[in-house]
PDB file of all heavy atoms in Angstrom:
ATOM      1  N   ASP A  17      25.008  10.469  14.418  1.00  0.00           N
ATOM      2  CA  ASP A  17      24.322  11.160  13.329  1.00  0.00           C
ATOM      3  C   ASP A  17      23.340  10.175  12.711  1.00  0.00           C
ATOM      4  O   ASP A  17      23.715   9.050  12.371  1.00  0.00           O
ATOM      5  CB  ASP A  17      25.313  11.653  12.275  1.00  0.00           C
ATOM      6  CG  ASP A  17      26.208  12.754  12.801  1.00  0.00           C
ATOM      7  OD1 ASP A  17      25.698  13.649  13.491  1.00  0.00           O
ATOM      8  OD2 ASP A  17      27.426  12.714  12.521  1.00  0.00           O
ATOM      9  N   THR A  18      22.084  10.582  12.541  1.00  0.00           N
ATOM     10  CA  THR A  18      21.068   9.674  12.006  1.00  0.00           C
ATOM     11  C   THR A  18      21.108   9.555  10.489  1.00  0.00           C
ATOM     12  O   THR A  18      20.738   8.535   9.942  1.00  0.00           O
ATOM     13  CB  THR A  18      19.656  10.121  12.430  1.00  0.00           C
ATOM     14  OG1 THR A  18      19.445  11.460  11.993  1.00  0.00           O
ATOM     15  CG2 THR A  18      19.481  10.003  13.920  1.00  0.00           C
ATOM     16  N   VAL A  19      21.537  10.568   9.771  1.00  0.00           N
ATOM     17  CA  VAL A  19      21.724  10.593   8.328  1.00  0.00           C
ATOM     18  C   VAL A  19      20.504  10.044   7.565  1.00  0.00           C
ATOM     19  O   VAL A  19      20.562   9.008   6.921  1.00  0.00           O
ATOM     20  CB  VAL A  19      23.012   9.841   7.912  1.00  0.00           C
ATOM     21  CG1 VAL A  19      23.340  10.134   6.456  1.00  0.00           C
ATOM     22  CG2 VAL A  19      24.188  10.186   8.815  1.00  0.00           C
ATOM     23  N   PRO A  20      19.368  10.746   7.635  1.00  0.00           N
ATOM     24  CA  PRO A  20      18.188  10.276   6.904  1.00  0.00           C
ATOM     25  C   PRO A  20      18.260  10.631   5.417  1.00  0.00           C
ATOM     26  O   PRO A  20      18.804  11.659   5.030  1.00  0.00           O
ATOM     27  CB  PRO A  20      17.038  11.031   7.565  1.00  0.00           C
ATOM     28  CG  PRO A  20      17.671  12.292   8.063  1.00  0.00           C
ATOM     29  CD  PRO A  20      19.084  11.929   8.441  1.00  0.00           C
ATOM     30  N   THR A  21      17.704   9.746   4.602  1.00  0.00           N
ATOM     31  CA  THR A  21      17.492  10.010   3.185  1.00  0.00           C
ATOM     32  C   THR A  21      15.991   9.904   2.949  1.00  0.00           C
ATOM     33  O   THR A  21      15.410   8.837   3.168  1.00  0.00           O
ATOM     34  CB  THR A  21      18.236   8.997   2.300  1.00  0.00           C
ATOM     35  OG1 THR A  21      19.632   9.082   2.583  1.00  0.00           O
ATOM     36  CG2 THR A  21      17.993   9.265   0.825  1.00  0.00           C
ATOM     37  N   VAL A  22      15.374  11.003   2.535  1.00  0.00           N
ATOM     38  CA  VAL A  22      13.928  11.035   2.333  1.00  0.00           C
ATOM     39  C   VAL A  22      13.644  11.165   0.838  1.00  0.00           C
ATOM     40  O   VAL A  22      14.180  12.044   0.168  1.00  0.00           O
ATOM     41  CB  VAL A  22      13.293  12.230   3.088  1.00  0.00           C
ATOM     42  CG1 VAL A  22      11.796  12.276   2.861  1.00  0.00           C
ATOM     43  CG2 VAL A  22      13.616  12.148   4.579  1.00  0.00           C
ATOM     44  N   GLU A  23      12.805  10.257   0.346  1.00  0.00           N
ATOM     45  CA  GLU A  23      12.386  10.309  -1.055  1.00  0.00           C
ATOM     46  C   GLU A  23      10.869  10.342  -1.099  1.00  0.00           C
ATOM     47  O   GLU A  23      10.207   9.570  -0.399  1.00  0.00           O
ATOM     48  CB  GLU A  23      12.919   9.100  -1.819  1.00  0.00           C
ATOM     49  CG  GLU A  23      14.448   9.078  -1.880  1.00  0.00           C
ATOM     50  CD  GLU A  23      14.983   7.882  -2.634  1.00  0.00           C
ATOM     51  OE1 GLU A  23      14.771   7.819  -3.863  1.00  0.00           O
ATOM     52  OE2 GLU A  23      15.583   7.014  -1.986  1.00  0.00           O
ATOM     53  N   ARG A  24      10.326  11.250  -1.918  1.00  0.00           N
ATOM     54  CA  ARG A  24       8.876  11.410  -2.037  1.00  0.00           C
ATOM     55  C   ARG A  24       8.419  11.075  -3.444  1.00  0.00           C
ATOM     56  O   ARG A  24       9.083  11.413  -4.420  1.00  0.00           O
ATOM     57  CB  ARG A  24       8.490  12.853  -1.681  1.00  0.00           C
ATOM     58  CG  ARG A  24       8.695  13.176  -0.215  1.00  0.00           C
ATOM     59  CD  ARG A  24       8.330  14.623   0.094  1.00  0.00           C
ATOM     60  NE  ARG A  24       9.294  15.547  -0.493  1.00  0.00           N
ATOM     61  CZ  ARG A  24      10.377  15.986   0.125  1.00  0.00           C
ATOM     62  NH1 ARG A  24      10.639  15.606   1.349  1.00  0.00           N
ATOM     63  NH2 ARG A  24      11.188  16.834  -0.456  1.00  0.00           N
ATOM     64  N   PHE A  25       7.257  10.428  -3.503  1.00  0.00           N
ATOM     65  CA  PHE A  25       6.676  10.024  -4.780  1.00  0.00           C
ATOM     66  C   PHE A  25       5.210  10.448  -4.803  1.00  0.00           C
ATOM     67  O   PHE A  25       4.508  10.304  -3.803  1.00  0.00           O
ATOM     68  CB  PHE A  25       6.807   8.502  -4.959  1.00  0.00           C
ATOM     69  CG  PHE A  25       8.242   8.035  -4.910  1.00  0.00           C
ATOM     70  CD1 PHE A  25       8.820   7.657  -3.716  1.00  0.00           C
ATOM     71  CD2 PHE A  25       9.010   8.012  -6.062  1.00  0.00           C
ATOM     72  CE1 PHE A  25      10.145   7.246  -3.656  1.00  0.00           C
ATOM     73  CE2 PHE A  25      10.334   7.611  -6.021  1.00  0.00           C
ATOM     74  CZ  PHE A  25      10.903   7.223  -4.813  1.00  0.00           C
ATOM     75  N   ASP A  49      10.042  14.346  -6.909  1.00  0.00           N
ATOM     76  CA  ASP A  49      10.021  15.767  -6.521  1.00  0.00           C
ATOM     77  C   ASP A  49      10.316  16.697  -7.691  1.00  0.00           C
ATOM     78  O   ASP A  49       9.934  17.862  -7.674  1.00  0.00           O
ATOM     79  CB  ASP A  49      11.053  16.037  -5.419  1.00  0.00           C
ATOM     80  CG  ASP A  49      10.487  15.811  -4.033  1.00  0.00           C
ATOM     81  OD1 ASP A  49       9.280  16.017  -3.833  1.00  0.00           O
ATOM     82  OD2 ASP A  49      11.263  15.443  -3.135  1.00  0.00           O
ATOM     83  N   PRO A  58      12.818   2.916  -3.714  1.00  0.00           N
ATOM     84  CA  PRO A  58      13.983   2.493  -2.940  1.00  0.00           C
ATOM     85  C   PRO A  58      13.686   1.322  -2.003  1.00  0.00           C
ATOM     86  O   PRO A  58      12.579   1.180  -1.491  1.00  0.00           O
ATOM     87  CB  PRO A  58      14.349   3.744  -2.143  1.00  0.00           C
ATOM     88  CG  PRO A  58      13.113   4.561  -2.101  1.00  0.00           C
ATOM     89  CD  PRO A  58      12.347   4.249  -3.343  1.00  0.00           C
ATOM     90  N   ALA A  59      14.719   0.500  -1.811  1.00  0.00           N
ATOM     91  CA  ALA A  59      14.628  -0.587  -0.832  1.00  0.00           C
ATOM     92  C   ALA A  59      14.552   0.033   0.561  1.00  0.00           C
ATOM     93  O   ALA A  59      15.050   1.141   0.793  1.00  0.00           O
ATOM     94  CB  ALA A  59      15.846  -1.495  -0.946  1.00  0.00           C
ATOM     95  N   LEU A  60      13.918  -0.673   1.473  1.00  0.00           N
ATOM     96  CA  LEU A  60      13.830  -0.226   2.857  1.00  0.00           C
ATOM     97  C   LEU A  60      14.978  -0.855   3.646  1.00  0.00           C
ATOM     98  O   LEU A  60      15.108  -2.081   3.677  1.00  0.00           O
ATOM     99  CB  LEU A  60      12.489  -0.621   3.478  1.00  0.00           C
ATOM    100  CG  LEU A  60      11.255   0.004   2.842  1.00  0.00           C
ATOM    101  CD1 LEU A  60       9.989  -0.609   3.430  1.00  0.00           C
ATOM    102  CD2 LEU A  60      11.258   1.508   3.023  1.00  0.00           C
ATOM    103  N   ALA A  61      15.813  -0.019   4.265  1.00  0.00           N
ATOM    104  CA  ALA A  61      16.930  -0.525   5.068  1.00  0.00           C
ATOM    105  C   ALA A  61      16.371  -1.280   6.275  1.00  0.00           C
ATOM    106  O   ALA A  61      15.508  -0.766   6.991  1.00  0.00           O
ATOM    107  CB  ALA A  61      17.813   0.630   5.526  1.00  0.00           C
ATOM    108  N   ASN A  64      15.988   0.252   9.871  1.00  0.00           N
ATOM    109  CA  ASN A  64      16.396   1.655   9.808  1.00  0.00           C
ATOM    110  C   ASN A  64      15.621   2.421   8.750  1.00  0.00           C
ATOM    111  O   ASN A  64      16.174   3.257   8.040  1.00  0.00           O
ATOM    112  CB  ASN A  64      17.900   1.778   9.518  1.00  0.00           C
ATOM    113  CG  ASN A  64      18.727   1.814  10.779  1.00  0.00           C
ATOM    114  OD1 ASN A  64      18.262   2.293  11.806  1.00  0.00           O
ATOM    115  ND2 ASN A  64      19.931   1.311  10.706  1.00  0.00           N
ATOM    116  N   SER A  65      14.326   2.129   8.606  1.00  0.00           N
ATOM    117  CA  SER A  65      13.554   2.798   7.568  1.00  0.00           C
ATOM    118  C   SER A  65      12.068   2.726   7.878  1.00  0.00           C
ATOM    119  O   SER A  65      11.637   1.969   8.754  1.00  0.00           O
ATOM    120  CB  SER A  65      13.816   2.124   6.222  1.00  0.00           C
ATOM    121  OG  SER A  65      13.392   0.767   6.287  1.00  0.00           O
ATOM    122  N   TYR A  66      11.321   3.536   7.146  1.00  0.00           N
ATOM    123  CA  TYR A  66       9.863   3.457   7.194  1.00  0.00           C
ATOM    124  C   TYR A  66       9.298   4.167   5.978  1.00  0.00           C
ATOM    125  O   TYR A  66       9.995   4.898   5.282  1.00  0.00           O
ATOM    126  CB  TYR A  66       9.297   4.060   8.491  1.00  0.00           C
ATOM    127  CG  TYR A  66       9.515   5.539   8.652  1.00  0.00           C
ATOM    128  CD1 TYR A  66       8.558   6.458   8.211  1.00  0.00           C
ATOM    129  CD2 TYR A  66      10.668   6.045   9.244  1.00  0.00           C
ATOM    130  CE1 TYR A  66       8.749   7.819   8.351  1.00  0.00           C
ATOM    131  CE2 TYR A  66      10.858   7.402   9.396  1.00  0.00           C
ATOM    132  CZ  TYR A  66       9.899   8.281   8.948  1.00  0.00           C
ATOM    133  OH  TYR A  66      10.098   9.635   9.088  1.00  0.00           O
ATOM    134  N   PHE A  67       8.013   3.912   5.711  1.00  0.00           N
ATOM    135  CA  PHE A  67       7.339   4.651   4.657  1.00  0.00           C
ATOM    136  C   PHE A  67       5.998   5.137   5.176  1.00  0.00           C
ATOM    137  O   PHE A  67       5.391   4.515   6.049  1.00  0.00           O
ATOM    138  CB  PHE A  67       7.171   3.810   3.374  1.00  0.00           C
ATOM    139  CG  PHE A  67       6.175   2.681   3.483  1.00  0.00           C
ATOM    140  CD1 PHE A  67       4.848   2.864   3.117  1.00  0.00           C
ATOM    141  CD2 PHE A  67       6.558   1.432   3.947  1.00  0.00           C
ATOM    142  CE1 PHE A  67       3.931   1.826   3.211  1.00  0.00           C
ATOM    143  CE2 PHE A  67       5.655   0.398   4.043  1.00  0.00           C
ATOM    144  CZ  PHE A  67       4.336   0.589   3.675  1.00  0.00           C
ATOM    145  N   ASP A  68       5.577   6.293   4.683  1.00  0.00           N
ATOM    146  CA  ASP A  68       4.283   6.880   5.019  1.00  0.00           C
ATOM    147  C   ASP A  68       3.490   7.066   3.737  1.00  0.00           C
ATOM    148  O   ASP A  68       4.060   7.350   2.677  1.00  0.00           O
ATOM    149  CB  ASP A  68       4.439   8.253   5.688  1.00  0.00           C
ATOM    150  CG  ASP A  68       4.969   8.166   7.111  1.00  0.00           C
ATOM    151  OD1 ASP A  68       4.645   7.183   7.806  1.00  0.00           O
ATOM    152  OD2 ASP A  68       5.707   9.079   7.521  1.00  0.00           O
ATOM    153  N   TYR A  83       4.034  -2.015   0.580  1.00  0.00           N
ATOM    154  CA  TYR A  83       5.065  -1.385  -0.239  1.00  0.00           C
ATOM    155  C   TYR A  83       6.003  -2.454  -0.781  1.00  0.00           C
ATOM    156  O   TYR A  83       6.464  -3.316  -0.036  1.00  0.00           O
ATOM    157  CB  TYR A  83       5.834  -0.388   0.630  1.00  0.00           C
ATOM    158  CG  TYR A  83       7.016   0.255  -0.050  1.00  0.00           C
ATOM    159  CD1 TYR A  83       6.835   1.319  -0.905  1.00  0.00           C
ATOM    160  CD2 TYR A  83       8.312  -0.194   0.181  1.00  0.00           C
ATOM    161  CE1 TYR A  83       7.916   1.927  -1.528  1.00  0.00           C
ATOM    162  CE2 TYR A  83       9.402   0.403  -0.424  1.00  0.00           C
ATOM    163  CZ  TYR A  83       9.194   1.460  -1.274  1.00  0.00           C
ATOM    164  OH  TYR A  83      10.264   2.062  -1.893  1.00  0.00           O
ATOM    165  N   LEU A 111       3.653   9.086  -1.401  1.00  0.00           N
ATOM    166  CA  LEU A 111       4.438   8.049  -0.734  1.00  0.00           C
ATOM    167  C   LEU A 111       5.744   8.689  -0.288  1.00  0.00           C
ATOM    168  O   LEU A 111       6.449   9.293  -1.099  1.00  0.00           O
ATOM    169  CB  LEU A 111       4.713   6.897  -1.706  1.00  0.00           C
ATOM    170  CG  LEU A 111       5.747   5.858  -1.294  1.00  0.00           C
ATOM    171  CD1 LEU A 111       5.290   5.089  -0.055  1.00  0.00           C
ATOM    172  CD2 LEU A 111       6.023   4.906  -2.454  1.00  0.00           C
ATOM    173  N   VAL A 112       6.062   8.572   1.006  1.00  0.00           N
ATOM    174  CA  VAL A 112       7.307   9.116   1.547  1.00  0.00           C
ATOM    175  C   VAL A 112       8.116   7.955   2.105  1.00  0.00           C
ATOM    176  O   VAL A 112       7.659   7.260   3.011  1.00  0.00           O
ATOM    177  CB  VAL A 112       7.046  10.167   2.652  1.00  0.00           C
ATOM    178  CG1 VAL A 112       8.365  10.723   3.175  1.00  0.00           C
ATOM    179  CG2 VAL A 112       6.139  11.274   2.148  1.00  0.00           C
ATOM    180  N   VAL A 113       9.316   7.741   1.546  1.00  0.00           N
ATOM    181  CA  VAL A 113      10.191   6.664   1.996  1.00  0.00           C
ATOM    182  C   VAL A 113      11.389   7.292   2.695  1.00  0.00           C
ATOM    183  O   VAL A 113      12.075   8.143   2.121  1.00  0.00           O
ATOM    184  CB  VAL A 113      10.665   5.798   0.809  1.00  0.00           C
ATOM    185  CG1 VAL A 113      11.614   4.700   1.282  1.00  0.00           C
ATOM    186  CG2 VAL A 113       9.471   5.204   0.074  1.00  0.00           C
ATOM    187  N   THR A 114      11.632   6.867   3.936  1.00  0.00           N
ATOM    188  CA  THR A 114      12.751   7.390   4.719  1.00  0.00           C
ATOM    189  C   THR A 114      13.664   6.244   5.120  1.00  0.00           C
ATOM    190  O   THR A 114      13.225   5.287   5.761  1.00  0.00           O
ATOM    191  CB  THR A 114      12.247   8.117   5.986  1.00  0.00           C
ATOM    192  OG1 THR A 114      11.317   9.129   5.599  1.00  0.00           O
ATOM    193  CG2 THR A 114      13.395   8.744   6.744  1.00  0.00           C
ATOM    194  N   ASN A 115      14.922   6.336   4.719  1.00  0.00           N
ATOM    195  CA  ASN A 115      15.960   5.377   5.112  1.00  0.00           C
ATOM    196  C   ASN A 115      17.005   6.109   5.940  1.00  0.00           C
ATOM    197  O   ASN A 115      17.327   7.269   5.663  1.00  0.00           O
ATOM    198  CB  ASN A 115      16.639   4.760   3.882  1.00  0.00           C
ATOM    199  CG  ASN A 115      15.820   3.650   3.274  1.00  0.00           C
ATOM    200  OD1 ASN A 115      15.618   2.622   3.894  1.00  0.00           O
ATOM    201  ND2 ASN A 115      15.355   3.854   2.053  1.00  0.00           N
ATOM    202  N   PHE A 116      17.537   5.436   6.935  1.00  0.00           N
ATOM    203  CA  PHE A 116      18.575   6.004   7.782  1.00  0.00           C
ATOM    204  C   PHE A 116      19.879   5.230   7.593  1.00  0.00           C
ATOM    205  O   PHE A 116      19.864   4.007   7.440  1.00  0.00           O
ATOM    206  CB  PHE A 116      18.169   5.942   9.264  1.00  0.00           C
ATOM    207  CG  PHE A 116      16.975   6.776   9.592  1.00  0.00           C
ATOM    208  CD1 PHE A 116      15.708   6.227   9.576  1.00  0.00           C
ATOM    209  CD2 PHE A 116      17.103   8.117   9.897  1.00  0.00           C
ATOM    210  CE1 PHE A 116      14.590   6.991   9.871  1.00  0.00           C
ATOM    211  CE2 PHE A 116      15.995   8.901  10.189  1.00  0.00           C
ATOM    212  CZ  PHE A 116      14.737   8.331  10.182  1.00  0.00           C
ATOM    213  N   ALA A 117      20.997   5.951   7.591  1.00  0.00           N
ATOM    214  CA  ALA A 117      22.329   5.350   7.550  1.00  0.00           C
ATOM    215  C   ALA A 117      23.119   5.950   8.714  1.00  0.00           C
ATOM    216  O   ALA A 117      23.991   6.803   8.526  1.00  0.00           O
ATOM    217  CB  ALA A 117      23.020   5.638   6.217  1.00  0.00           C
ATOM    218  N   PRO A 118      22.786   5.532   9.942  1.00  0.00           N
ATOM    219  CA  PRO A 118      23.379   6.176  11.122  1.00  0.00           C
ATOM    220  C   PRO A 118      24.878   5.911  11.244  1.00  0.00           C
ATOM    221  O   PRO A 118      25.381   4.865  10.836  1.00  0.00           O
ATOM    222  CB  PRO A 118      22.622   5.535  12.290  1.00  0.00           C
ATOM    223  CG  PRO A 118      22.111   4.242  11.766  1.00  0.00           C
ATOM    224  CD  PRO A 118      21.884   4.451  10.303  1.00  0.00           C
TER     225      PRO A 118
END
Side-chain angles (χ1 to χ4, degrees):
D17 293 317
T18 57
V19 192
T21 300
V22 179
E23 296 180 68
R24 292 179 290 269
F25 301 91
D49 272 329
L60 297 173
N64 270 330
S65 62
Y66 65 92
F67 70 93
D68 288 327
Y83 175 81
L111 168 64
V112 181
V113 178
T114 305
N115 280 295
F116 295 93

